[in-house]
Amino acid sequence: MGNSVGQRAFQNARLQKRQKAEVLPLLGHALQLHKMGLFPEAQAAYRQLLQIAPNQFIALHMLGVLESDAKNYQQAEILLNRAVAVDPRSADALMSLGVALNGLRRHDEARASYRKALALRPNHALALSNLGNANEALDLHEEALNSYDKALALNPDLAEAHNGRGWALCRLRNYDEALASLNRALSIKPGYASALANRATALRELQRFDEALADGNRAVALAPDDANGWLARAGVLLQIQQIAKASRDCEQALALAPDSLQAHMVLGLCLAGLGRVEEALASFDRALEIQPDFQSAISNKIFTLDFMADASVEQHQQARQMWWERIGAKIASEQARPHDNSRDPDRRLVLGYVSSDFNAHSAAFIFKPVLQHHDRAQFEIVCYACSPKVDATTSEFQAIADRWRDASQWTDDRLAAEIRADGVDILIDLSGHTRGNRLGVFARKPAPIQVHGWGHGTGTGLPTIDYLFSDPVAIPVEVRHLFAETVVDLPCFVTLTPLPAGIARAPTPAIANGFVTFGVFNRISKISDEAADVWARILERLPGSRLLIKDVALDDQLVRDNLLARLAACGLSAERVDLLGATLRGEHLASFNRVDICLDPFPQNGGVSTWEALQMGVPVVAKLGNSLPSRAAASILTALGLPDWVGNDDEAYADIAVGHAAKIGELDRLRRDLPGQINAAAAGNPVSYVQAVDDAYRAMWQRYCNGGA
């Protein structure tokens, strides 16, 4: 027996000696290949070595790193766990394991692994930077910044930490400081594709689109296998209305990273912009399958539901309730605080208006007259501008406001704190779930009374917003119980600033043309196949008639071709359709002089475009639907005394259009009468309209002072 034991020991020693003799040269060879950047060859060499020595630490670690770099995170985790088991005190292996776990979206486990590495080596700058990445992935932005700053204190030239810091600052809306960090990362590492992609996003948010696009292009060229570059460029292209190109970049990003939340979300926005509503909703739902509390995906889904023909009021409000349950309720529970505003029912009140659209945006034309015509003896106006876009319209709002706050680079926490410090009594959201909204602030309830009006009009779903401005047509009484807010009626749920001086109105063009021209001046994303079918039938019943469609997106040839193909599929020949793209507002309004009758789209109706047509003397045909977005045009027309231009179904809509097209003389009389008719209506007269708003605010405040909401 003794001889047997001794023999085994001798054989084991010989085996170890042979393995050592084979292992060291193989390891040296693999490391050399790795150093030379011959990664597939290095991987093969490490695997060969591990067949001989399964627990060889360096081979396990280095192969795990290569698998992680190749985004094979599951395989990387297996290898790196084995490496850590061989040497539990290797800070580098623990850090590498954290990278793989972060890639698997197991961010809490990644943080634990980084912390173990830092416990072994507190001055491990790269581990600190990677800890910042995990914190950032968990939306712990301040913790992420702290980690990056600690890393940079140890190694000021760590490009990865500057890049991570820049992205965290982007997420905190601090774009100027983010640019400084990203510029520093790129000065250290000029071909750093990730930093270029992040800088493209920061520049996009600062409205510096040419620079943003240049960075996106460089990021894609340098790292075509990295989804982030494609995605950053897609975001810029989408913003500058190159929707078809943006869509292709999103698809490329998804081919590289099928579970990219941002890629599914941005693709959804592209699809919505192209009028492919069901596909857009599917993209948002895919993002929400991956991360159920992805705030942007929920808000964009809410907005896109406006374009769904069969979406009921219940469905719309359920989507808003989802936002509250997954996002808002958590914020509200952490932020609930009493207000110390004086409960004097008759004092001058501070109104706080929150918007990203205090600039040349269509929404500004809706709420600008409201701010202009408030009774300043009763109300002080504070504007919280949440977009870095500044133009001549911004200057006009600055002149209207008693106090102006540039909140474009403030976090929600800071904005809420500033609102409290400003003593705002009634805080008004002008965005709803549209781009640039700050609903996270309204979930914090920094003012005793909160209201939504004019920006979206279909409700927010936030119980912390007390009131919603609307009217009986836009939101019928029988569905109001479905809303989180109490509905308050105005003469119309929207008004519009009067036309600029000097805009000439022409006679009905059919008099000179000898044929009727119908107009659609809405975003093409509102053009549903159902509406296009009805328009085709109208033109078929009126030989020689034409359709003029105008939208900024039509400057993109691919978008034009896509729209014409959709119209042709509905039976509307391209020969009878004229397309116009972006123009200055004066030219835009003058384009209505080419149109006899406007056709309002459905299920998503027009708002500003409907008002502008009527102000220019062009009547609008509308279809009254069940969902709120499909009742907007009927609301406007009813408020202005034109209910006979509203049909309840496709047939009635077409009959109204065809019937009025046959009465050119009546169209011309109406064209002359409409401006006066609008001014005589409370909905179209800014002074009368805002008197109703002022009365509503005072009633809300008195109710609050008497112990109500």
Side-chain angles (χ1 to χ4, degrees):
M1 186 161 181
N3 287 340
S4 176
V5 171
Q7 189 175 8
R8 279 203 301 271
F10 175 73
Q11 288 173 341
N12 286 339
R14 282 187 63 188
L15 180 62
Q16 289 173 7
K17 188 174 180 181
R18 181 171 65 81
Q19 285 184 337
K20 190 172 183 180
E22 294 179 19
V23 164
L24 290 177
L26 277 173
L27 180 59
H29 177 61
L31 291 170
Q32 184 64 26
L33 292 168
H34 196 154
K35 187 177 180 181
M36 291 167 64
L38 300 171
F39 301 133
E41 293 85 349
Q43 285 174 300
Y46 287 134
R47 289 194 184 99
Q48 183 183 354
L49 191 156
L50 289 169
Q51 287 178 345
I52 300 168
N55 293 325
Q56 213 292 322
F57 170 77
I58 297 174
L60 287 167
H61 185 195
M62 291 298 99
L63 183 56
V65 168
L66 285 173
E67 293 287 2
S68 196
D69 289 345
K71 296 183 171 56
N72 299 324
Y73 296 118
Q74 287 183 323
Q75 185 61 30
E77 183 202 1
I78 293 167
L79 289 160
L80 291 164
N81 268 323
R82 285 171 59 190
V84 169
V86 173
D87 185 358
R89 297 192 59 76
S90 170
D92 286 335
L94 284 162
M95 187 200 69
S96 299
L97 176 60
V99 172
L101 291 166
N102 214 41
L104 289 166
R105 292 201 173 92
R106 288 155 55 187
H107 306 302
D108 283 317
E109 294 175 64
R111 288 204 302 168
S113 196
Y114 293 139
R115 285 174 175 149
K116 286 179 185 176
L118 289 163
L120 292 163
R121 197 193 305 169
N123 62 347
H124 198 319
L126 191 54
L128 281 163
S129 179
N130 287 336
L131 177 59
N133 295 343
N135 286 329
E136 182 55 40
L138 291 165
D139 292 333
L140 302 171
H141 309 305
E142 297 292 350
E143 287 186 45
L145 282 177
N146 184 49
S147 297
Y148 295 130
D149 287 342
K150 285 180 178 178
L152 291 168
L154 292 165
N155 181 359
D157 292 331
L158 186 60
E160 291 80 4
H162 286 292
N163 180 40
R165 187 174 188 275
W167 182 242
L169 289 163
C170 275
R171 299 292 303 281
L172 287 166
R173 305 176 66 90
N174 190 343
Y175 303 115
D176 290 333
E177 196 177 340
L179 271 187
S181 285
L182 294 165
N183 287 341
R184 179 73 179 119
L186 287 160
S187 71
I188 297 165
K189 196 173 171 181
Y192 195 176
S194 176
L196 284 163
N198 289 338
R199 191 170 70 175
T201 299
L203 289 165
R204 183 197 76 205
E205 291 293 337
L206 290 168
Q207 310 284 303
R208 292 162 60 178
F209 299 124
D210 289 343
E211 296 167 81
L213 189 57
D215 274 355
N217 287 337
R218 279 190 66 205
V220 168
L222 286 164
D225 293 334
D226 186 349
N228 290 327
W230 296 97
L231 195 51
R233 189 170 73 176
V236 182
L237 291 167
L238 180 63
Q239 191 89 4
I240 60 176
Q241 292 294 318
Q242 294 188 29
I243 302 173
K245 290 181 181 177
S247 176
R248 288 201 299 269
D249 275 8
C250 285
E251 287 166 355
Q252 186 65 44
L254 284 168
L256 294 165
D259 288 336
S260 168
L261 290 169
Q262 201 69 15
H264 284 292
M265 205 267 294
V266 178
L267 179 59
L269 290 171
C270 293
L271 292 166
L274 292 169
R276 293 157 62 181
V277 178
E278 291 187 5
E279 294 170 78
L281 290 170
S283 282
F284 299 138
D285 283 339
R286 179 69 186 109
L288 291 169
E289 285 172 14
I290 299 166
Q291 184 178 315
D293 62 349
F294 188 17
Q295 183 169 342
S296 296
I298 300 175
S299 279
N300 283 309
K301 179 178 179 179
I302 287 168
F303 184 71
T304 305
L305 274 172
D306 288 357
F307 300 83
M308 280 288 287
D310 56 352
S312 65
V313 176
E314 288 88 344
Q315 284 175 288
H316 281 276
Q317 297 311 308
Q318 283 166 6
R320 287 155 176 77
Q321 186 178 354
M322 179 198 297
W323 189 97
W324 176 252
E325 290 172 351
R326 297 184 185 181
I327 311 294
K330 182 180 178 184
I331 296 170
S333 67
E334 294 170 352
Q335 300 283 335
R337 285 171 52 200
H339 304 94
D340 55 8
N341 304 54
S342 166
R343 292 202 184 208
D344 176 349
D346 302 313
R347 68 174 173 83
R348 188 178 188 225
L349 300 177
V350 179
L351 304 179
Y353 283 97
V354 181
S355 179
S356 290
D357 300 324
F358 292 123
N359 45 55
H361 187 284
S362 59
F365 298 130
I366 294 173
F367 55 71
K368 183 182 171 187
V370 177
L371 274 66
Q372 280 178 310
H373 293 280
H374 278 309
D375 180 349
R376 305 313 269 272
Q378 286 197 65
F379 303 105
E380 177 186 356
I381 297 173
V382 187
C383 289
Y384 299 94
C386 299
S387 168
K389 182 179 178 182
V390 175
D391 54 27
T393 304
T394 309
S395 300
E396 294 172 11
F397 278 109
Q398 288 173 330
I400 292 168
D402 296 295
R403 287 183 273 168
W404 181 265
R405 299 282 186 263
D406 180 358
S408 61
Q409 299 197 45
W410 292 358
T411 62
D412 284 356
D413 280 336
R414 180 178 174 188
L415 178 50
E418 296 280 353
I419 289 165
R420 282 184 176 270
D422 286 337
V424 171
D425 300 303
I426 301 176
L427 187 69
I428 303 97
D429 164 51
L430 296 172
S431 299
H433 286 274
T434 62
R435 178 179 169 81
N437 76 74
R438 301 302 293 270
L439 291 178
V441 172
F442 284 82
R444 289 162 168 80
K445 193 141 195 188
I449 295 174
Q450 300 193 148
V451 182
H452 170 74
W454 306 294
H456 195 187
T458 54
T460 63
L462 275 67
T464 52
I465 294 184
D466 306 286
Y467 299 100
L468 166 63
F469 281 132
S470 191
D471 66 61
V473 176
I475 304 182
V477 173
E478 57 268 24
V479 298
R480 294 186 175 186
H481 67 281
L482 298 168
F483 288 75
E485 311 93 337
T486 297
V487 179
V488 174
D489 287 322
L490 294 177
C492 181
F493 82 104
V494 286
T495 186
L496 197 71
T497 192
L499 290 176
I503 300 294
R505 298 183 186 88
T508 297
I511 295 172
N513 291 339
F515 59 84
V516 171
T517 302
F518 294 99
V520 175
F521 282 56
N522 308 83
R523 293 195 310 273
I524 62 161
S525 57
K526 294 187 177 186
I527 299 177
S528 65
D529 289 343
E530 183 187 5
D533 280 333
V534 178
W535 298 343
R537 295 206 297 272
I538 291 169
L539 265 68
E540 186 180 3
R541 289 169 64 180
L542 293 166
S545 60
R546 298 190 64 79
L547 179 64
L548 171 65
I549 302 176
K550 187 176 189 300
D551 179 35
V552 295
L554 291 171
D555 286 329
D556 185 332
Q557 186 63 46
L558 291 168
V559 173
R560 294 165 72 95
D561 293 344
N562 179 63
L563 177 61
L564 289 173
R566 287 181 59 217
L567 295 174
C570 296
L572 194 50
S573 167
E575 285 73 30
R576 299 181 70 181
V577 179
D578 297 308
L579 302 179
L580 292 178
T583 58
L584 296 174
R585 186 158 191 251
E587 296 172 71
H588 172 76
L589 293 169
S591 298
F592 283 103
N593 289 327
R594 297 173 55 178
V595 174
D596 298 288
I597 297 172
C598 274
L599 300 173
D600 211 69
F602 51 86
Q604 168 75 306
N605 291 172
V608 170
S609 57
T610 306
W611 267 105
E612 286 179 336
L614 296 165
Q615 287 177 333
M616 288 297 295
V618 181
V620 180
V621 183
K623 175 185 164 186
L624 181 67
N626 293 319
S627 69
L628 307 188
S630 65
R631 303 178 70 85
S635 166
I636 295 166
L637 289 164
T638 302
L640 297 179
L642 297 166
D644 55 320
W645 284 83
V646 181
N648 289 321
D649 55 33
D650 292 355
E651 186 176 349
Y653 178 102
D655 287 345
I656 290 168
V658 173
H660 284 293
K663 303 170 185 174
I664 304 301
E666 288 184 17
L667 279 178
D668 198 48
R669 280 193 296 276
L670 181 58
R671 200 177 188 97
R672 292 194 300 270
D673 294 345
L674 261 176
Q677 191 169 331
I678 290 171
N679 193 54
N685 183 298
V687 175
S688 301
Y689 187 91
V690 179
Q691 181 62 58
V693 177
D694 286 355
D695 291 346
Y697 284 152
R698 182 58 62 181
M700 293 171 192
W701 183 251
Q702 290 175 341
R703 192 176 300 118
Y704 173 75
C705 291
N706 291 330

